[in-house]
C-alpha cells in the first residue's frame, strides 16, 4: 500500500510504447483491423468536433456489435462493414454518454488501481493535464509487472504465504465456462450477459482443455471470419493465427506468492483454478490480485474477501511523485 501510494502513474510508463488513437469518424471495420495489426487491445477515441478524447474503443465493443447484429453465416453483418465508430456509439449508448475515465501522470498508482477496480474497467488512459495528450494506457497487467519488479525490495505481507483457498482471492462460485463444441456465438452471449473477460473451455467430461478470451474474438476481424459465428469454440481456437496466452492453471493448495509469480512470469491476465482432475473450480485474475494486494490492506476492499496482517505493511503512505531511481526501460 505504501509502495503504491509513493509511486505515481508516470513511474509505470515505459520509455517506449505503442499507442493507437482513433477518430470517431473512422469505420468500425478498419478500426478493429488496426487494433489487431498493431497488437493493441484498446484505443482512445478522439472527437475532432469537440477537440477532446471522448471514450475508448475496446474488444468489448466488437463483441457487443457481433452479438447484437449477427444473424447467420448467410447474412453479412452490414454494421461492421459500413458503420463508423460515432454511429455505433450513438446506437449503443443511446445518448447516455459517460465521461472518459482517465488519470493524471502525477496521480499515485494506488489511485490508478482504485479507479480500475471501482469503474470495472481494464484500461485507464494516462492524460497529461496541460497538453491533453494521452501518454499511456495503464492496465492491471502493467501495474502488477511494475509492482513485481520494483516491489521486490520492500517487505512482503505475510498473507502471501497463505494458499489461494485460505485467502479466497478470486471467483469461486458460479464460474462461467463454455463447452468446446459450443458455437462461438454462445461464447459471445456469455461475455455479454456475464461480463467476464475469459471462459475456461471444457470437454465433454467437464475438464478444462483451453481458454477462450475476449482477445480471441478480435482475431475474427483480422481473419474476416466474423460472418460465421456458428463454428465451434474448439475450431476457433485452432484457427488462431498467433499464439496467445492459452490456458494456465493453478491449484487451491498453491500460495498467493507462487500464483503472482506465475502470472507475472507468463504475462497472462488470469489463472484457471482447477482440482487434481482438471475440473474448473475458479478464476484468479489480475483484478483479484491487485484488490488483495492494494485496496484490501488499505481498508478499501470493494469486494472484501481477504484476511490479512496489517503488521506486514509499512505504516504511513508517502506522497506520489516521479522517482528518478525508477528505470522504466526494464518494464
Amino acid at each position: 500500500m505504501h509502495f503504491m501510494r509513493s509511486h505515481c502513474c508516470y513511474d509505470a510508463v515505459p520509455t517506449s510504447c505503442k499507442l493507437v488513437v482513433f477518430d470517431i469518424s473512422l469505420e468500425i471495420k478498419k478500426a478493429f483491423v488496426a487494433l489487431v495489426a498493431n497488437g493493441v487491445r484498446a484505443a482512445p477515441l478522439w472527437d475532432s468536433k469537440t477537440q477532446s478524447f471522448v471514450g475508448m474503443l475496446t474488444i468489448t465493443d466488437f463483441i457487443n456489435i457481433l452479438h447484437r447484429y449477427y444473424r447467420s453465416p448467410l447474412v453479412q453483418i452490414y454494421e461492421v462493414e459500413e458503420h463508423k465508430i460515432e454511429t455505433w456509439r450513438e446506437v449503443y449508448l443511446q445518448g447516455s454518454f459517460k465521461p472518459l475515465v482517465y488519470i493524471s501522470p502525477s496521480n499515485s498508482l494506488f489511485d490508478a488501481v482504485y479507479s480500475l477496480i471501482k469503474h470495472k474497467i481494464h484500461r485507464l488512459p494516462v492524460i497529461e493535464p496541460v497538453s491533453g495528450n494521452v501518454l499511456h494506457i495503464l492496465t492491471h497487467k502493467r501495474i502488477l509487472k511494475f509492482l513485481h519488479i520494483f516491489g521486490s525490495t520492500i517487505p512482503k505481507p505475510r498473507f502471501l504465504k497463505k494458499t489461494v483457498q485460505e485467502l479466497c482471492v478470486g471467483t469461486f462460485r458460479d464460474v462461467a465456462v463454455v463447452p468446446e463444441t459450443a458455437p462461438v456465438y454462445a461464447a459471445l452471449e456469455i461475455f455479454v450477459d456475464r461480463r467476464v473477460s475469459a471462459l475456461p473451455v471444457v470437454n465433454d467430461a467437464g475438464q478444462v482443455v483451453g481458454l477462450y478470451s475476449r482477445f480471441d474474438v478480435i482475431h475474427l476481424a483480422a481473419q474476416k471470419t466474423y460472418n460465421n459465428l456458428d463454428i465451434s469454440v474448439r475450431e476457433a481456437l485452432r484457427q488462431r493465427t498467433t499464439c496467445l496466452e492459452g490456458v494456465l492453471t493453478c491449484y487451491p493448495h498453491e500460495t498467493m506468492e507462487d500464483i503472482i509469480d506465475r502470472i507475472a512470469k507468463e504475462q497472462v491476465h488470469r489463472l484457471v483454478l482447477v482440482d487434481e482432475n482438471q475440473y474448473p473450480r475458479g478464476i484468479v485474475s489480475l483484478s483479484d490480485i491487485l484488490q488483495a494486494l492494494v485496496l484490501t490492506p488499505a481498508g478499501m476492499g470493494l469486494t472484501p474477501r481477504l484476511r490479512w496482517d496489517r503488521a506486514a505493511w509499512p505504516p504511513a503512505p508517502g506522497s506520489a511523485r516521479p522517482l528518478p531511481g525508477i528505470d522504466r526501460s526494464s518494464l
Side-chain angles (χ1 to χ4, degrees):
M1 180 177 66
H2 171 79
F3 179 84
M4 300 297 280
R5 286 190 184 277
S6 61
H7 289 74
C8 65
C9 294
Y10 183 78
D11 290 334
V13 175
T15 54
S16 177
C17 63
K18 182 179 292 186
L19 180 67
V20 177
V21 176
F22 294 140
D23 192 285
I24 60 173
S25 62
L26 183 68
E27 294 174 3
I28 287 176
K29 181 180 179 180
K30 291 181 179 179
F32 287 120
V33 170
L35 286 181
V36 177
N38 287 279
V40 296
R41 303 186 179 213
L45 296 176
W46 176 259
D47 188 335
S48 299
K49 297 176 183 177
T50 62
Q51 289 292 295
S52 62
F53 289 102
V54 293
M56 295 282 291
L57 186 75
T58 69
I59 299 171
T60 299
D61 291 298
F62 189 55
I63 291 173
N64 286 330
I65 290 171
L66 296 182
H67 180 257
R68 174 177 287 220
Y69 296 115
Y70 180 74
R71 295 295 177 265
S72 78
L74 300 178
V75 181
Q76 188 178 36
I77 306 178
Y78 164 80
E79 289 78 8
V80 175
E81 302 291 334
E82 303 294 339
H83 274 189
K84 296 180 179 180
I85 296 174
E86 59 185 343
T87 307
W88 164 245
R89 282 170 53 82
E90 291 171 359
V91 170
Y92 183 66
L93 298 177
Q94 296 182 345
S96 60
F97 293 97
K98 296 181 180 180
L100 175 66
V101 179
Y102 64 93
I103 199 164
S104 167
S106 61
N107 283 118
S108 72
L109 286 173
F110 181 94
D111 295 332
V113 172
Y114 182 76
S115 292
L116 284 166
I117 296 178
K118 175 186 177 182
H119 295 286
K120 296 181 180 180
I121 55 178
H122 293 91
R123 284 155 189 86
L124 183 64
V126 180
I127 298 182
E128 207 284 315
V130 177
S131 65
N133 293 330
V134 178
L135 303 181
H136 188 59
I137 307 295
L138 271 182
T139 63
H140 301 92
K141 186 176 179 180
R142 184 74 189 176
I143 294 173
L144 185 65
K145 183 178 181 181
F146 180 89
L147 180 60
H148 194 254
I149 293 175
F150 298 108
S152 58
T153 58
I154 63 175
K156 294 182 179 180
R158 288 194 287 271
F159 66 72
L160 291 184
K161 296 298 183 182
K162 293 185 177 182
T163 67
V164 64
Q165 188 174 36
E166 291 176 307
L167 298 174
C168 292
V169 175
T171 300
F172 302 100
R173 294 181 180 178
D174 197 21
V175 178
V177 300
V178 63
E180 60 180 347
T181 56
V184 167
Y185 185 78
L188 300 189
E189 284 190 312
I190 300 174
F191 284 140
V192 173
D193 295 341
R194 298 288 298 274
R195 299 189 66 182
V196 294
S197 57
L199 296 168
V201 180
V202 297
N203 59 20
D204 292 338
Q207 297 166 308
V208 177
V209 294
L211 187 74
Y212 193 68
S213 71
R214 287 176 178 266
F215 190 61
D216 288 315
V217 179
I218 195 65
H219 284 268
L220 297 174
Q223 299 164 351
K224 299 180 181 180
T225 56
Y226 51 79
N227 276 313
N228 184 11
L229 301 181
D230 290 350
I231 64 170
S232 68
V233 172
R234 177 171 52 200
E235 182 62 27
L237 292 176
R238 189 179 295 128
Q239 291 179 3
R240 287 192 299 204
T241 56
T242 57
C243 181
L244 300 177
E245 66 181 51
V247 57
L248 289 175
T249 59
C250 62
Y251 297 92
H253 62 267
E254 293 188 88
T255 67
M256 196 66 202
E257 185 175 19
D258 289 339
I259 288 176
I260 293 173
D261 288 343
R262 186 176 309 149
I263 283 184
K265 178 183 177 182
E266 300 293 341
Q267 298 189 44
V268 295
H269 293 82
R270 66 199 61 80
L271 296 178
V272 179
L273 186 73
V274 297
D275 60 21
E276 64 277 4
N277 295 315
Q278 297 301 301
Y279 292 114
R281 293 294 179 258
I283 298 281
V284 181
S285 69
L286 289 174
S287 178
D288 296 322
I289 291 173
L290 287 176
Q291 166 91 45
L293 288 177
V294 181
L295 297 188
T296 303
M300 301 174 66
L302 299 177
T303 53
R305 293 174 292 182
L306 179 63
R307 300 185 303 273
W308 64 286
D309 188 351
R310 290 182 181 271
W313 286 93
S319 57
R321 62 187 185 282
L323 299 180
I326 293 295
D327 178 13
R328 291 189 300 277
S329 64
S330 59
L331 285 170

